Amino acid sequence: MKIIMLGAPGAGKGTQAKMIAEKFAIPHISTGDIFRANIKNGTELGMEAKKYMDQGLLVPDELTVKILLDRVAQKDCTDGYVLDGFPRTIPQAQVLDKALTELGDHIDYAINVDVPDENIINRMSGRRACVTCGATYHIEHIPPQKEGICDKCNAELILRDDDKPETVKNRLDVYHKQTQPLIEFYSEKEVLRTVDGTQDMQNVFAAIVEILK
Ligand code: AP5
Ligand code: MG
């Protein structure tokens, strides 16, 4: 099963994608996580991506598309995957569509996690992320057992550089201009399903599982 997560920054794409990946035993592929791992390791790609990410802008399609196509061509992706944060522009969606069509394949579902802008800023300022294993928490809604420490791997949790309120505003603007048009794109392909992302995370997950089963 090939699934795309759509939604504003902070809508809960990553939170839900990890749960889907576990339940359906498919890889969770987040372009944001791939960039953050590269930044942490000081790679050339990471340094380039950071320039855009810190401003809340999208990393150029030329850099992003290749990474994603290489990743989905790996062996563990044959039975499917859940994409989180890709595609994010119409050109990215077209490239993915073309690559899949050439393989006689297609996306099964594009799940749009719908959360209004008003709810987003609070979620982002409370988010804490583990750069080592990618787990995410929220200081009020989903706190780790020990403050500032990842439950899964014991590494230190951070506030992402791009989660500062002024950057979140830019990311929301970029989302509305460049990413939201994908809702129409996947609706025309009849694979779009929308869930109410303002519910608690277990209820959002139950709504997604209902769609996927
Ligand atoms: P990326 O890492 O993809 O960030 P994003 O889309 O801005 O989304 P987030 O990860 O911030 O939010 P999310 O929806 O995953 O929410 P989460 O589950 O964490 O991208 C970062 C940057 O990389 C981009 O700005 C861009 O520069 C670059 N980039 C990445 N992909 C790219 C691409 N394809 N093309 C170009 N550039 C690209 O949840 C948020 C918080 O809310 C957490 O604290 C969580 O615990 C909490 N939460 C989740 N669900 C609930 C709930 N139901 N109730 C209450 N709290 C909840
Ligand atoms: Mg995420």
Side-chain angles (χ1 to χ4, degrees):
M1 191 155 46
K2 299 190 170 65
I3 304 163
I4 288 173
M5 302 305 292
L6 293 177
K13 301 181 295 296
T15 302
Q16 297 299 328
K18 284 176 200 121
M19 294 161 84
I20 295 169
E22 198 170 317
K23 182 169 173 69
F24 295 93
I26 49 177
H28 164 219
I29 302 174
S30 157
T31 37
D33 286 352
I34 294 173
F35 289 136
R36 281 185 289 278
N38 274 278
I39 293 172
K40 190 180 169 225
N41 294 328
T43 69
E44 208 172 302
L45 169 70
M47 294 306 101
E48 188 60 25
K50 188 172 167 39
K51 289 188 212 158
Y52 300 92
M53 290 170 74
D54 283 354
Q55 297 176 66
L57 300 173
L58 295 186
V59 178
D61 288 346
E62 305 82 82
L63 286 178
T64 312
V65 162
K66 190 179 175 311
I67 290 165
L68 192 279
L69 291 184
D70 286 350
R71 180 64 190 89
V72 297
Q74 285 172 26
K75 259 220 189 95
D76 62 334
C77 290
T78 6
D79 292 337
Y81 42 74
V82 49
L83 298 186
D84 160 21
F86 186 99
R88 243 188 169 82
T89 62
I90 295 281
Q92 288 182 12
Q94 288 166 334
V95 171
L96 177 65
D97 198 42
K98 184 162 171 279
L100 286 171
T101 307
E102 279 167 9
L103 297 168
D105 208 346
H106 60 273
I107 290 297
D108 297 293
Y109 295 104
I111 309 272
N112 176 30
V113 184
D114 189 29
V115 177
D117 287 9
E118 305 85 85
N119 302 32
I120 299 281
I121 307 248
N122 161 283
R123 280 206 189 174
M124 308 296 245
S125 56
R127 169 165 54 189
R128 294 296 179 273
C130 175
V131 201
T132 305
C133 77
T136 43
Y137 302 86
H138 189 282
I139 50 175
E140 288 163 35
H141 311 301
I142 311 159
Q145 280 162 15
K146 228 190 280 165
E147 198 186 316
I149 303 292
C150 180
D151 292 347
K152 300 203 171 91
C153 73
N154 271 321
E156 196 187 336
L157 300 176
I158 58 145
L159 172 67
R160 272 168 46 178
D161 284 342
D162 59 347
D163 277 350
K164 301 187 178 101
E166 59 284 10
T167 316
V168 172
K169 237 188 120 278
N170 281 347
R171 284 163 65 196
L172 279 169
D173 287 344
V174 167
Y175 168 75
H176 290 301
K177 285 199 193 93
Q178 291 180 263
T179 308
Q180 211 171 18
L182 292 175
I183 291 177
E184 186 61 32
F185 182 92
Y186 286 109
S187 168
E188 280 171 9
K189 295 193 178 293
E190 298 181 358
V191 295
L192 183 80
R193 303 287 185 276
T194 297
V195 295
D196 175 2
T198 62
Q199 314 170 77
D200 73 47
M201 65 181 229
Q202 292 304 340
N203 288 340
V204 178
F205 186 56
I208 294 176
V209 170
E210 195 56 40
I211 292 166
L212 299 181
K213 75 178 189 200

